[in-house]
């Protein structure tokens, strides 16, 4: 029995020694790899992962010196950064911007774009995805605390050597200059993703970056830079073959150590990249309980009792059982999925919270400011064409929204077909005037495996576009309806009592200030939705007290018997409030709309009527303000004056002189024909860079001088013309009044010098100065150089440029007799 006991004890001890040794060998195998670069072991062979990021230990040794010094590899091809990129990197590197977290979201966003591209190519050629792990479309994040390296890898389309040079160095994208200007003016790095230069935000936390990339059409290359104005590209012969895709290694600065913490990275992905359409995995650690052999005391306690002998049979049975074990906690690593949220547009709108909509907008628009979108619309369209869509109204207009409105093909809607991203450059989904909206469309009707050109011609796109426009306009209309400031006077009391919707107060005014011009452009471009868009118009009027009002509210306030909607155009509200065209309208209680945007002139050429009400420009012919019983009598009484004045202004291209029904305190104004350009339109066209004065002459309206028969100047002029129609002073006065009326009516004088001369003559007459009096001629005196001027001239010639420079005093020489 004792022999069996000794055998069992020896067996247990051998197990205790052998198992740890095997564990150490397995651990060593997990860290070490073969020297062969051509076929390195995969991650799953070593760590049980998905086949993600890994590093050959021998490779690390070979590159340790390069990485430690963070110097570019000697065999790499060196390049200089393009000037604009260098400026951008200088701003980022020297930035005091506190929110450095943005770098991770930008790199993940770029990785997602690369995955979208390869998935799109795979629709027509499945072979581009490859096989095995290479075919998995995912993003992997891994950190190395010892070397302070953070790696982000994707299996996207990858970059060729030419792509690495072009996209990351020598050629500045169009957004680079725009972002640099925006950054210098606002100092907000948070907008970097909107300009297409988000990659460079990595230099907020890293002082050395490696970009390893493999494209299907090229071998694997490495791009590297310390952001010192240079970068290098070389063939990659030392890293693990990627198969396809890109791996970015950030060698973090000392002060960026927080980004080596798993909890920090998880938080950033949750905050910024939760709605990325591809799985994001983090090589994360976790503690698990495992069973290991329990340790036993080496010394055995012997008890010389007969009980021991009695239990020998029982001990023999126990020795044949499994060795004793205990549970211990071990740290293991595995790929952890960080974004497991279902796509918002696939869920029911009732299930999605406001916070989720806001987060999704920030991810979709790459706008990570604190502001929420003004409005959103989430809907499912059913019928012949089925699709799901989410539309957003951004909180602010893009900086370049109207700079190149007709030349830009920029679209802000992403198109998906059966959850597969197709493109974000489809202009056919929304008209240009709604290009400020952001969102996505996911269609089940459109075909997948066709070219983009064929997809653009698909009949279903027209139906999708029509429904999107309707939903977009309904969303904007609802934004106005829910704004308490937009409520009609009759309903204000109910809203004030309820005290609700404080958050929505003033939202439509904010929308109008940001995107109002787009609504006006829509009225010009979209005839089928013109009436819907007209309901969204806002403007100030003579009765709005500085607040915006709508056409519906204007019509509701119209005077009894008023048939037309009165408006006036000009450069500013302050100028229009003093316009003589409004005098009689305001006295009679009529409301007039102020249009002060240059696009308003074009707008009113298309918006001819609204709700059976015609629009009337009060600075043009055709204005009807009530009935005046004395009109006929006044016309007859001033018939001689109007005829004489018209003949006097024959050289001024005046079509007619009439009695005015719009003036109260001003003696006369100049109006234009109903279908010609107004004075404001003439000014706008003359300010155009490539304007042609000869062609503009055809569009200028015929000018009509309207006189106020009740004004004392006009009455006196009538008497003087009746007494002596050939009086030169009367003709001079009539001409001066016409030119003054032109200026007051908003026109630009063709001959300002002539006008100024008439003013000076009028001043002479009022001061009783002879009309022939002229300015005294200047007496010509020969200019002689004074001693002071000579001294100054000499001092100017000295090397100080005339500056007050102290010098040693020079003794004056006494002139000789001959010199005298």
């Amino acid at each position: 029995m004792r022999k069996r006991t000794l055998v069992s004890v020896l067996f247990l001890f051998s197990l205790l020694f052998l198992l740890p040794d095997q564990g150490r060998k397995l651990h060593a195998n997990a860290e070490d790899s073969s020297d062969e670069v051509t076929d390195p072991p995969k991650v799953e062979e070593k760590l049980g992962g998905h086949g993600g990021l890994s590093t050959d230990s021998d490779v690390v040794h070979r590159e340790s010196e390069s990485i430690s010094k963070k110097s570019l590899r000697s065999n790499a091809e060196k390049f200089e950064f393009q000037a604009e990129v260098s400026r951008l990197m200088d701003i980022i590197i020297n930035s005091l911007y506190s929110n450095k977290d943005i770098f991770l979201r930008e790199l993940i966003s770029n990785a997602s774009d690369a995955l979208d591209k390869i998935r799109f190519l795979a629709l027509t050629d499945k072979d581009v995805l490859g096989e095995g792990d290479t075919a998995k479309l995912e993003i992997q994040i891994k950190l190395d605390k010892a070397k302070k390296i953070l790696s982000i890898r994707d299996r996207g389309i990858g970059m060729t050597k030419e792509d690495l040079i072009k996209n990351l160095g020598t050629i500045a994208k169009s957004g680079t200059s725009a972002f640099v200007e925006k950054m210098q003016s606002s100092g907000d790095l948070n907008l970097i993703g909107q300009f297409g230069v988000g990659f460079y935000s990595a230099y907020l936390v890293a002082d050395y970056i490696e970009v390893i990339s493999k494209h299907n059409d090229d071998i694997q290359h490495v791009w590297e830079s310390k952001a010192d104005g240079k970068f290098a590209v070389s063939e990659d012969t030392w890293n693990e073959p990627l198969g396809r895709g890109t791996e970015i290694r950030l060698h973090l600065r000392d002060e960026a150590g927080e980004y080596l913490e798993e909890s920090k990275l998880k938080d950033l992905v949750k905050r910024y990249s939760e709605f990325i359409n591809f799985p994001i995995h983090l090589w994360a650690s976790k503690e698990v309980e495992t069973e290991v052999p329990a340790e036993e005391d080496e010394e055995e306690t012997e008890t010389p009792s007969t009980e021991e002998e009695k239990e020998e049979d029982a001990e023999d049975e126990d020795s044949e059982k499994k060795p004793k074990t205990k549970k211990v906690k071990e740290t293991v690593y595995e790929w952890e999925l960080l974004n497991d949220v279902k796509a918002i547009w696939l869920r029911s709108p009732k299930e999605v919270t406001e916070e989720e909509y806001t987060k999704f907008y920030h991810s979709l628009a790459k706008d990570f400011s604190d502001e929420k979108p003004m409005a959103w619309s989430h809907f499912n369209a059913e019928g012949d064409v089925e699709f799901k869509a989410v539309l957003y109204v951004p909180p602010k207009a893009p900086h370049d929204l109207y700079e190149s409105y007709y030349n830009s093909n920029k679209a802000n809607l992403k198109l998906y077909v059966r959850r597969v991203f197709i493109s974000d450059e489809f202009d056919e989904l929304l008209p240009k005037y709604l290009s400020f909206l952001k969102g996505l469309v996911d269609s089940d009707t459109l075909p997948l495996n066709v070219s983009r050109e064929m997809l653009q011609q698909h009949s279903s796109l027209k139906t999708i576009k029509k429904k999107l426009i309707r939903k977009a306009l309904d969303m904007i209309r609802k934004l106005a309806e829910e704004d308490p400031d937009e409520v009609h006077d009759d309903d204000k009391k109910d809203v004030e009592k309820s005290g609700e919707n404080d958050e929505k107060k003033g939202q439509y005014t904010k929308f109008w200030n940001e995107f109002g011009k787009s609504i006006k452009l829509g009225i010009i471009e979209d005839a089928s939705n013109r009436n819907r868009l007209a309901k969204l118009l806002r403007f100030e009027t003579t009765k709005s007290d500085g607040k915006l009002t709508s056409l519906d509210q204007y019509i509701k306030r119209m005077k009894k018997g008023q048939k037309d909607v009165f408006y006036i155009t000009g450069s500013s509200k302050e100028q229009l409030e003093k316009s003589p065209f409004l005098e009689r309208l305001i006295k009679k209680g009529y409301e007039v709309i102020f249009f002060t945007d240059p696009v308003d002139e074009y707008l009113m050429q298309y918006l001819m009527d609204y709700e059976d009400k015609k629009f009337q420009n009060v600075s043009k012919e055709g204005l009807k303000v009530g009935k005046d019983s004395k009109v006929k009598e006044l016309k007859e009484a001033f018939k001689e004056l109007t005829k004489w004045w018209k003949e006097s202004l024959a050289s001024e291209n005046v079509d007619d002189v009439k009695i005015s029904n719009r003036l109260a305190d001003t003696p006369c104004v100049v109006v234009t024909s109903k279908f010609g350009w107004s004075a404001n339109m003439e000014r706008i066209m003359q300010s155009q860079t490539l304007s042609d004065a000869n062609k503009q002459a055809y569009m200028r309206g015929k000018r009509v001088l309207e006189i106020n028969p009740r004004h004392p100047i006009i009455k006196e002029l009538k008497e003087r013309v009746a007494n002596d129609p050939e009086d030169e002073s009367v003709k001079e006065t009539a001409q001066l009044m016409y030119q003054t009326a032109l200026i007051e009516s908003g026109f630009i004088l063709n001959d300002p010098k002539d006008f100024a001369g008439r003013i000076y003559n009028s001043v002479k007459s009022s001061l009783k100065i002879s009309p022939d009096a002229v300015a005294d001629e200047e007496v010509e005196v020969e200019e002689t150089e004074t001693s002071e001027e000579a001294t100054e001239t000499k001092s100017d010639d000295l090397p100080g440029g005339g500056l007050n420079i102290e010098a040693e005093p020079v003794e004056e020489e006494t002139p000789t007799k001959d010199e005298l």
Side-chain angles (χ1 to χ4, degrees), residues 407-439:
N407 298 325
S408 173
N409 292 323
K410 187 177 181 182
N412 289 311
L413 279 192
K414 294 180 180 290
L415 175 64
Y416 288 78
V417 176
R418 288 168 234 164
R419 269 65 68 199
V420 177
F421 175 73
I422 302 299
S423 175
D424 56 0
E425 297 178 355
F426 256 78
D427 302 329
E428 290 77 9
L429 289 175
L430 279 178
K432 279 188 179 293
Y433 69 89
L434 289 177
S435 63
F436 65 90
L437 296 177
K438 297 185 183 294

Side-chain angles (χ1 to χ4, degrees), residues 588-601:
K588 287 185 170 289
Y590 289 98
E591 186 174 8
V592 183
I593 297 170
F594 295 134
F595 283 132
T596 57
D597 194 335
V599 76
D600 291 335
E601 286 284 358

Side-chain angles (χ1 to χ4, degrees), residues 73 97 202 237 285 446 466 502 509 540 601 682:
R73 293 176 176 86
Y97 190 58
T237 58
S285 63
L446 294 172
K466 186 177 180 181
D502 288 340
T509 300
E540 290 186 55
E601 286 284 358
E682 280 191 27

Side-chain angles (χ1 to χ4, degrees), residues 361 367 369-375 393-397 402 436 476 479-480 483 485-486 503-517 538 548:
Y361 165 76
D367 175 10
S369 61
D370 294 332
E371 295 186 87
K372 295 193 297 185
M374 291 192 208
V393 177
K396 286 184 178 179
Y402 304 113
F436 65 90
I476 298 171
L479 181 66
D483 187 346
D485 290 346
E486 291 284 319
E503 188 179 342
K504 296 178 180 179
K505 189 173 184 180
Q507 280 292 298
Y508 194 76
T509 300
K510 181 183 176 183
F511 166 83
W512 184 256
N513 292 334
E514 294 289 338
F515 306 106
K517 189 173 290 186
R538 294 296 182 271
L548 295 177

Side-chain angles (χ1 to χ4, degrees), residues 188-249:
D188 188 4
L189 266 174
N190 211 29
L191 301 174
I192 190 168
Q194 298 181 25
F195 295 84
V197 289
F199 165 77
Y200 301 105
S201 65
Y203 284 101
L204 285 168
V205 297
D207 52 12
Y208 175 62
I209 295 178
E210 295 175 281
V211 180
I212 306 158
S213 195
K214 172 68 174 70
H215 191 281
N216 285 340
D217 298 335
D218 202 352
I219 59 176
Q220 188 163 307
H221 286 90
V222 176
W223 179 100
E224 52 184 331
S225 175
K226 296 192 298 179
D228 55 355
K230 299 177 183 178
F231 66 94
V233 179
S234 56
E235 181 182 344
D236 186 7
T237 58
W238 49 87
N239 288 304
E240 173 194 2
L242 298 180
R244 187 198 61 254
T246 301
E247 178 183 334
I248 300 175
R249 292 178 184 169

Side-chain angles (χ1 to χ4, degrees), residues 16 91 124 170 255 390 424 450-451 459 572 673 727:
L16 289 172
I91 290 174
T124 52
T170 59
E255 63 270 21
V390 181
D424 56 0
V450 296
S451 67
S459 58
S572 69
S673 57
D727 188 345

